[in-house]
Amino acid sequence: MRTSTATLKEATLDQLVESINTNAEKLKTLKATVDIDSSILEEKKNRVKDNPQVAGLILVRKPEMLRMRIYVPVLHNVMADMVSNGKNFELASPIKSKFYTGSNKQPVKPSPQPLENLRPQHISDALLLKPIEEGKEIAVLENTTEVVKDPKTHKDVEQLAYTVVVIDKDSAGHFLSRKIVFSRTDLLPHEQSIYDRQGRLVTFVRYENFTNYSEIPLPAIVSIQRPIEGYGITISMVKVDVNVPLTDEQFVLTQPPGSQVINLDTKSSASAIPEEETKKPPQ
């Protein structure tokens, strides 16, 4: 394959780590109106099924709070509403009259129902790069390559890249945690691979079309692939606000009246007790 003709920039490992950590520190909250494209791998039919594009709203308040609301196309009714505090989450599906609860811990065996495999951590870990924890994590620099479009010929070419390999540690020892690929043309993160404790790739993310918001570079397009569960989500930013005040009430999700409660950790379900009213949508 031909080599890229683009002008490349240089950086050290310390500079790349500082870039990750500084941007993570600057960003306290995120409020984004988004378009969401999703796809599901249908193994029995050996094909990928694309779902219709939907609109959504994402709220993030560090360190752990996340809310994601998805709307029905055209009608703009709520299709799904999910809230997480980093440890546990709740997901309301008004159309199906179901209210899912559970921990952010990934199930050992993926459910055949794609909605039941979704965890807020998948979104938050992919959407915003976590800082590299000094004293706990080890970062190593690898000179790698990536396939990109050449600026002159617009054909696929090979281009030098930097990959920051992040090694984490727990009571059982060190393990591969993440790989973050930086483009040599702008020194911004264009890819992230996230691994589980067994070294399996659980999340692959691509970041495209960066824009600066209050000196914080954020991608306009975030493409998330979950290979084990067989689904993908692409989030396209429509309107972004950073570091705006977000209240506790905006991360409270009330069970819709009459909905069935399903605990995804125990697979148990219970009939809902009708409630007098529901919370107002996040603003």
Side-chain angles (χ1 to χ4, degrees), residues 102-119:
S103 67
N104 276 359
K105 187 177 180 181
Q106 192 62 31
V108 176
K109 183 179 180 181
S111 167
Q113 301 297 323
L115 184 64
E116 296 184 4
N117 293 319
L118 180 64
R119 294 292 184 274

Side-chain angles (χ1 to χ4, degrees), residues 158-188:
E158 195 171 52
Q159 182 171 286
L160 293 174
Y162 289 129
T163 297
V164 175
V165 181
V166 182
I167 308 296
D168 203 349
K169 184 181 182 181
D170 59 15
S171 58
H174 291 90
F175 62 95
L176 175 62
S177 175
R178 293 179 282 159
K179 290 183 179 180
I180 305 164
V181 179
F182 284 81
S183 170
R184 290 283 302 274
T185 58
D186 55 17
L187 297 180
L188 290 171

Side-chain angles (χ1 to χ4, degrees), residues 170-241:
D170 59 15
S171 58
H174 291 90
F175 62 95
L176 175 62
S177 175
R178 293 179 282 159
K179 290 183 179 180
I180 305 164
V181 179
F182 284 81
S183 170
R184 290 283 302 274
T185 58
D186 55 17
L187 297 180
L188 290 171
H190 283 204
E191 292 180 3
Q192 181 179 202
S193 298
I194 301 174
Y195 300 84
D196 66 9
R197 189 61 180 81
Q198 289 71 44
R200 297 180 302 174
L201 176 65
V202 292
T203 303
F204 176 75
V205 198
R206 282 196 60 84
Y207 305 101
E208 301 176 55
N209 303 345
F210 280 80
T211 300
N212 277 325
Y213 298 92
S214 302
E215 298 184 352
I216 305 171
L218 293 175
I221 302 173
V222 179
S223 301
I224 306 167
Q225 294 293 326
R226 292 284 300 184
I228 295 176
E229 296 87 3
Y231 74 83
I233 298 174
T234 297
I235 300 172
S236 302
M237 305 295 174
V238 177
K239 184 177 184 297
V240 175
D241 292 301

Side-chain angles (χ1 to χ4, degrees), residues 37-51 110-115 117 224-233:
D37 294 278
S38 61
S39 60
I40 301 169
L41 175 62
E42 296 180 327
E43 291 187 356
K44 292 182 179 180
K45 298 180 180 180
N46 194 29
R47 70 178 185 182
V48 174
K49 177 186 176 183
D50 293 325
N51 298 317
S111 167
Q113 301 297 323
L115 184 64
N117 293 319
I224 306 167
Q225 294 293 326
R226 292 284 300 184
I228 295 176
E229 296 87 3
Y231 74 83
I233 298 174

